[in-house]
Amino acid sequence: MIQLNGSDLTLSKMKRILYKGEKITIDPVSMEKVKKSRVAVERVVTSGKTVYGLNTGFGKFSDVRIRDDDVDDLQLHLIRSHACGVGEPFSEKVSRAMVILRLNALLKGYSGVRPCVVERLCDLANDHIIPVVPSQGSLGASGDLAPLSHLALVLVGEGEVHVEGKIKKTSEVYHKYGYQPLTLKAKEGLALINGTQAMTAVGVINFIEAERLFHQSDWIASMTLEALEGIIDAFHPAIHEARGYKEQMEVAERVRLITHDSKLLTHQGDKRVQDAYSLRCIPQVHGASRQSLAYVKEKLEIEMNAATDNPLILEDGTLIVSGGNFHGQPIALAMDFLKIAAAEMASISERRIERLVNPQLNNLPGFLSPNPGLQSGAMILQYAAASLVSENKTLAHPASVDSIPSSASQEDHVSMGTIGARHAYQIILNAQNVSSIELICAMQALEYRGVNSASTSVQELFEKGREVVPSITEDRVFARDIEALSKWLRSDQFDWSISKHTIIPNK
């Protein structure tokens, strides 16, 4: 069980919660901070002092004073009116991440909610009663207002939830599970929806999926290198040390270890002097994309533990200040960076696919066909990869460079961070499919070249891959193969760590 305290949630912990089913609990010390901040809110309400979000309207209505009798109704009106998301809902995994991240932010004790609010979020996450949240409609400032409003609706017994593999009305599920709808009090509605948890939740999933994809890409590229009798000299450590990028050196070493006992790899001058860039520059390109992961991880783990609502209750409740921590610019830029990095991994993969299937670039059967001419083989697999890579080029345009004023220009610069995060997720899915196509083609090429001559590690990957996708002995519907292999690559059924497969050679 993972204890949340608002300050030390990591991507590793989120992976355990979201992918391994680990439950969460609330740190008692953090709960005391929550109680203390709530006392400060109630003190303001009874004092009659005007404070944004407690007894004023929102956005351009911030100058409208709300009567004391209407303070609680203000919060319900807020989440109902702001719940105007559109489009397909986020995946259940993303929405559950939103619940956990919103809970973690509230546990910092800067938001002024009652303990029952954070307890309800914890219960929903653990019972897998997950809000249905439309994926479109956020500007990324003031945070993810529309998506988080759909999350907040569930706390008051409205909206819909994912439960037991189905989408049901929250009211029905509450009745079944014995939950009572919450009546939100002063500031609680605003505290629930003013934040960056939608873009950050998608970012968490993006990072986990991209990290796996980048690991797998090194392995798949290694198989392609062997199938094309690539020149291993380009991976000599001295070359990469001469440039100095840590990630580049690590990719080169990983490829050397995966292929270290291969009988297929060549040396410069054996068959040709140099390989094409898509083979020779694997460490430089893969390494550069891997650099983005470090940047994205740093920003996500800061944001996962950040207070991002407004106003914030500071200095033990003695100071309540309006600011702009809800602005999603840090995550918007990180997601745009990740988009480009993932798109480039797919781009170089597609060029390797071309080298695997094009008979003018290798001495293999045309398009890896078992009967060239009568049967097209992998010809259109390359088309599909090219289409996905081209789509990625459009999606990779940075969302963060756009801004549209809102709320009568009170909110006149926004991040579009959630759009960037959504596009990054689509790029990663596309890149995973391109990797699947490369693996299909690399396995087929390796069969023609001689699997027994491949390195021990590549043979292991080949054998596992062949359990999912059989050899191409006759044309068939390859869409099913791509889907099956993509599903397998996302399942973590193969251990992609080098040490599990490779006897590290003496240096």
Side-chain angles (χ1 to χ4, degrees):
M1 189 169 288
I2 292 173
Q3 188 175 78
L4 301 183
N5 58 20
S7 61
D8 64 4
L9 185 57
T10 63
L11 285 160
S12 176
K13 290 179 180 178
M14 285 296 286
K15 187 173 183 179
R16 287 160 54 193
I17 295 167
L18 299 173
Y19 288 75
K20 304 297 182 184
E22 197 155 342
K23 293 199 171 185
I24 58 174
T25 187
I26 295 171
D27 172 44
V29 175
S30 298
M31 185 62 91
E32 291 304 311
K33 294 178 182 177
V34 170
K35 293 176 181 177
K36 188 177 291 187
S37 71
R38 184 63 203 174
V39 169
V41 168
E42 292 173 350
R43 186 166 58 242
V44 170
V45 172
T46 57
S47 72
K49 183 179 178 181
T50 301
V51 176
Y52 175 75
L54 275 72
N55 47 26
T56 72
F58 308 102
K60 188 63 177 177
F61 288 145
S62 60
D63 294 329
V64 178
R65 181 68 156 81
I66 306 301
R67 296 189 321 162
D68 291 348
D69 292 347
D70 294 329
V71 165
D72 292 349
D73 287 343
L74 174 70
Q75 304 303 310
L76 184 58
H77 286 304
L78 172 70
I79 64 170
R80 282 176 174 166
S81 67
H82 285 43
C84 53
V86 297
E88 291 297 312
F90 284 120
S91 70
E92 189 171 344
K93 198 172 269 134
V94 168
S95 293
R96 187 161 181 253
M98 285 175 60
V99 172
I100 293 159
L101 293 174
R102 189 67 252 172
L103 166 60
N104 196 55
L106 297 177
L107 287 174
K108 296 187 75 68
Y110 295 142
S111 303
V113 301
R114 291 167 297 159
C116 64
V117 174
V118 295
E119 288 167 349
R120 175 60 52 85
L121 289 170
C122 185
D123 290 341
L124 291 174
N126 282 337
D127 289 342
H128 290 269
I129 301 172
I130 308 304
V132 174
V133 180
S135 61
Q136 294 175 277
S138 175
L139 294 174
S142 301
D144 290 308
L145 293 173
L148 288 171
S149 294
H150 286 272
L151 183 156
L153 279 177
V154 172
L155 273 68
V156 300
E158 300 181 14
E160 295 179 318
V161 293
H162 301 276
V163 64
E164 298 171 355
K166 298 180 180 178
I167 292 178
K168 297 183 179 180
K169 289 184 178 180
T170 304
S171 55
E172 296 174 3
V173 174
Y174 270 24
H175 179 74
K176 178 179 178 180
Y177 280 77
Y179 282 111
Q180 291 298 318
L182 299 180
T183 300
L184 297 180
K185 300 294 184 181
K187 195 183 182 297
E188 289 181 336
L190 187 59
L192 285 166
I193 73 170
N194 217 196
T196 60
Q197 281 68 44
M199 69 179 78
T200 306
V202 180
V204 166
I205 303 301
N206 288 347
F207 177 87
I208 293 170
E209 295 293 333
E211 185 179 46
R212 183 203 294 122
L213 169 68
F214 291 8
H215 281 311
Q216 293 170 345
S217 295
D218 292 346
W219 277 82
I220 295 168
S222 296
M223 183 183 287
T224 297
L225 188 70
E226 293 198 36
L228 293 174
E229 300 177 314
I231 300 170
I232 193 61
D233 304 63
F235 297 83
H236 192 287
I239 293 175
H240 306 285
E241 290 166 5
R243 195 174 196 187
Y245 289 116
K246 176 175 70 73
E247 294 84 0
Q248 177 180 325
M249 290 186 276
E250 289 172 348
V251 172
E253 182 181 30
R254 193 172 293 110
V255 173
R256 290 196 307 272
L257 291 174
I258 293 170
T259 64
H260 84 274
D261 57 349
S262 171
K263 298 178 180 65
L264 293 173
L265 294 180
T266 60
H267 292 279
Q268 54 191 17
D270 288 351
K271 296 195 172 188
R272 55 195 171 277
V273 176
Q274 292 182 336
D275 278 326
Y277 290 178
S278 59
L279 299 178
R280 195 190 338 159
C281 299
I282 289 169
Q284 289 82 356
V285 177
H286 287 205
S289 286
R290 281 175 172 273
Q291 289 170 20
S292 75
L293 291 180
Y295 178 86
V296 171
K297 181 179 182 180
E298 179 189 26
K299 304 314 170 196
L300 283 173
E301 291 191 334
I302 291 172
E303 197 75 2
M304 286 159 55
N305 295 287
T308 55
D309 55 296
N310 176 54
L312 293 177
I313 299 163
L314 308 168
E315 298 182 6
D316 290 330
T318 61
L319 181 65
I320 302 179
V321 182
S322 288
N325 280 4
F326 49 71
H327 202 295
Q329 199 72 9
I331 300 303
L333 293 176
M335 290 298 102
D336 283 343
F337 191 12
L338 184 58
K339 282 160 59 175
I340 295 167
E344 281 304 290
M345 292 293 274
S347 181
I348 194 171
S349 175
E350 185 276 330
R351 288 294 80 200
R352 290 193 295 265
I353 293 167
E354 169 68 4
R355 304 200 77 81
L356 286 164
V357 304
N358 188 338
Q360 296 178 341
L361 301 176
N362 59 51
N363 57 345
L364 296 166
F367 303 105
L368 306 174
S369 170
N371 190 346
L374 176 63
Q375 299 191 45
S376 296
M379 181 188 294
I380 310 303
L381 285 169
Q382 185 269 328
Y383 281 42
S387 174
L388 292 168
V389 166
S390 189
E391 181 180 340
N392 282 352
K393 293 172 185 176
T394 302
L395 292 170
H397 183 282
S400 58
V401 300
D402 184 36
S403 179
I404 296 179
S406 55
S407 195
S409 283
Q410 172 75 0
E411 299 165 3
D412 57 356
H413 182 277
V414 296
S415 75
M416 304 298 184
T418 313
I419 296 173
R422 287 175 38 240
H423 287 178
Y425 181 69
Q426 186 60 54
I427 288 172
I428 291 164
L429 288 182
N430 290 346
Q432 287 172 336
N433 280 322
V434 173
S435 286
S436 298
I437 293 170
E438 183 181 357
L439 183 52
I440 290 170
C441 294
M443 287 192 296
Q444 193 65 25
L446 197 62
E447 280 191 8
Y448 288 122
R449 199 69 78 186
V451 177
N452 292 336
S453 296
S455 67
T456 304
S457 296
V458 165
Q459 286 187 47
E460 288 186 49
L461 175 58
F462 176 89
E463 289 164 6
K464 293 297 182 182
R466 274 288 175 252
E467 292 175 8
V468 182
V469 172
S471 177
I472 301 174
T473 57
E474 186 177 13
D475 282 350
R476 58 179 184 257
V477 180
F478 291 115
R480 296 168 186 160
D481 293 338
I482 299 169
E483 182 180 2
L485 200 52
S486 293
K487 184 177 180 181
W488 178 72
L489 289 173
R490 290 193 294 269
S491 70
D492 285 332
Q493 293 180 32
F494 184 78
D495 191 332
W496 301 94
S497 60
I498 305 300
S499 60
K500 297 293 183 182
H501 305 270
T502 304
I503 299 173
I504 298 177
N506 293 326
K507 295 184 179 180

